[in-house]
Amino acid sequence: MPMTHAQALEVLAEHRGRRLVITTMGSVGIWAQLSDTPLDFAYMPSAMGHAPGLGLGLALAQPQRGVIVVNGDGCTLMNLGALVTLADNPAPLTLVIIDNGMYEVTGGQPTPAAGRVDFAAIARGAGVERVFRFATVAEWRAGAAAALAEPGPTVIVLQVEGRLGQTTPKPPRSMPEQIERLRQALSEARAD
Amino acid sequence: MFDGPSVAAAFRAAGITHVLWVPDSQLGRWDSALRSDPQLRLVRVCREGEAIAVAGGLLLGGARPIVLMQCTGLFEAGDALRNIVHDLRLPLFLVVDVRSWRAYTLGKTTDTCPLFTEPIMRAWQIPYVLFEPDRHTPADLAEEYRRAWAERRAGAVLLPE
């Protein structure tokens, strides 16, 4: 039974702990239903393909915090070099790649080589040592705790069903509000 | 003189914590000094837009980064620049090496880099200073960084090659 995008993120929400979670594109709307704390950052509007970079910067600046970036397969393809950068700059970062084989929010067009791209193999080839791939929700539920046990760098590929008829989601609040909330939460954590 | 040790010292003096870069032939000469400086963390990335995104995350997390790139990388990095500076409104600071600038001013190159660098900076609405190598120093660079930081705005120094 294929995993749905929502199921994939539900399991992630159960295991994210106190990590900061950055979502992009199709994950933004789903994640907002699961968690809406100051440590949930909907990267929208974004720079195409650059959520892993933003997450790496946060993880380098806040090494005690831990960061999870939830990226799409299309976004990942836009900047595959980011996998090399993650491997070369050890930081408490987990990159979750939601692989549905399509550009969901633009009408479901297939991504290049959809179904043939092996993101886990690419991540390993880029030098990331902790790489996981799950194709069913049962596998993901069974493996999530172990996959998220270490600070990172870690890459987790979740193969999910594509959803047709999606539109670009709206972030739960404006970017200035998100940044203010995030900064406040990070400064409070530093004061703890 | 923009040698590696002087630049590293200027970065330290400006309170810079992280240096992100894709080196070119001029900036690359700073590699050894930047890598060996205990107060600076040199972060190597694969493309210039990525450097800007990482710098954005560092700024959100409370660090003080600087991004070094050649103008060709600036041309590639437009979407990241737009997003980090104008959507997220973060005080990104760049040092951009302008390839072939000196030859361009003498009419001795067909390289189009000098033709487009300043118009691109203006198009993206990034305040910048075009340095004169014989007049400006790394201390001037540090001062430009400090000024932009104090005003919580983006900024850039263009270094002619």
Side-chain angles (χ1 to χ4, degrees):
Chain A
M1 182 89 173
M3 178 161 43
T4 67
H5 196 154
Q7 287 173 329
L9 296 191
E10 284 164 11
V11 175
L12 181 65
E14 290 165 14
H15 292 85
R16 59 86 66 93
R18 291 171 49 82
R19 292 178 175 98
L20 196 163
V21 176
I22 299 171
T23 51
T24 62
M25 287 298 174
S27 295
V28 166
I30 299 171
W31 188 261
Q33 306 296 315
L34 298 169
S35 182
D36 187 25
T37 75
L39 294 176
D40 297 300
F41 189 83
Y43 187 26
M44 185 171 279
S46 67
M48 290 195 303
H50 287 307
L54 192 83
L56 175 61
L58 270 159
L60 290 170
Q62 299 273 329
Q64 77 290 355
R65 163 63 56 188
V67 177
I68 297 172
V69 174
V70 185
N71 216 23
D73 50 348
C75 292
T76 303
L77 287 170
M78 287 181 182
N79 188 21
L80 282 173
L83 294 167
V84 175
T85 303
L86 297 188
D88 195 45
N89 294 280
L93 178 74
T94 298
L95 173 62
V96 176
I97 301 172
I98 302 291
D99 183 6
N100 59 12
M102 64 170 64
Y103 296 112
E104 208 170 68
V105 303
T106 60
Q109 304 87 353
T111 50
R116 301 198 308 276
V117 179
D118 186 341
F119 288 102
I122 293 171
R124 287 190 195 98
V128 180
E129 293 179 6
R130 301 191 78 251
V131 180
F132 302 84
R133 182 177 179 276
F134 303 101
T136 69
V137 69
E139 290 174 13
W140 176 217
R141 278 193 197 289
L148 290 158
E150 301 288 331
T154 300
V155 171
I156 301 172
V157 182
L158 301 177
Q159 192 175 334
V160 307
E161 286 181 315
R163 300 175 300 164
L164 294 173
Q166 301 299 308
T167 56
T168 304
K170 195 170 181 294
R173 53 188 52 78
S174 72
M175 185 55 78
E177 285 177 278
Q178 287 200 85
I179 289 175
E180 179 59 31
R181 272 171 34 122
L182 174 62
R183 282 186 165 149
Q184 192 168 342
L186 295 178
S187 66
E188 287 168 1
R190 274 194 294 267
D192 285 347
Chain B
M1 180 65 181
F2 282 84
D3 59 71
S6 303
V7 170
F11 287 179
R12 282 198 308 274
I16 289 166
T17 56
H18 296 75
V19 181
L20 299 106
W21 80 345
V22 180
D24 72 349
S25 54
Q26 179 170 228
L27 304 175
R29 292 197 293 265
W30 305 346
D31 181 57
S32 174
L34 294 175
R35 264 195 294 157
S36 61
D37 193 300
Q39 290 183 47
L40 299 171
R41 168 127 187 210
L42 185 64
V43 180
R44 290 176 296 220
V45 300
C46 297
R47 284 241 59 159
E48 290 81 356
E50 190 186 10
I52 290 173
V54 177
L58 284 160
L59 288 164
L60 282 175
R64 291 179 65 150
I66 191 166
V67 178
L68 317 182
M69 64 175 68
Q70 192 183 59
C71 56
T72 48
L74 172 75
F75 303 153
E76 181 273 341
D79 185 50
L81 197 58
R82 174 200 60 76
N83 177 250
I84 296 300
V85 173
H86 297 293
D87 291 339
L88 275 61
R89 302 177 197 172
L90 295 171
L92 179 77
F93 198 92
L94 309 171
V95 175
V96 180
D97 172 59
V98 188
R99 192 178 73 190
S100 305
W101 177 265
R102 295 179 211 223
Y104 175 75
T105 58
L106 298 171
K108 291 184 175 175
T109 182
T110 56
D111 189 345
T112 56
C113 275
L115 183 63
F116 290 109
T117 303
E118 287 188 272
I120 289 288
M121 294 301 290
R122 288 195 290 270
W124 290 119
Q125 300 176 13
I126 309 294
Y128 68 90
V129 178
L130 176 61
F131 271 20
E132 297 171 29
D134 299 332
R135 187 167 74 85
H136 287 96
T137 66
D140 295 320
L141 198 165
E143 183 54 32
E144 291 297 334
Y145 185 97
R146 274 193 293 262
R147 185 175 300 132
W149 185 265
E151 296 172 7
R152 303 301 293 167
R153 61 161 173 82
V157 161
L158 307 186
L159 273 185
E161 181 183 330

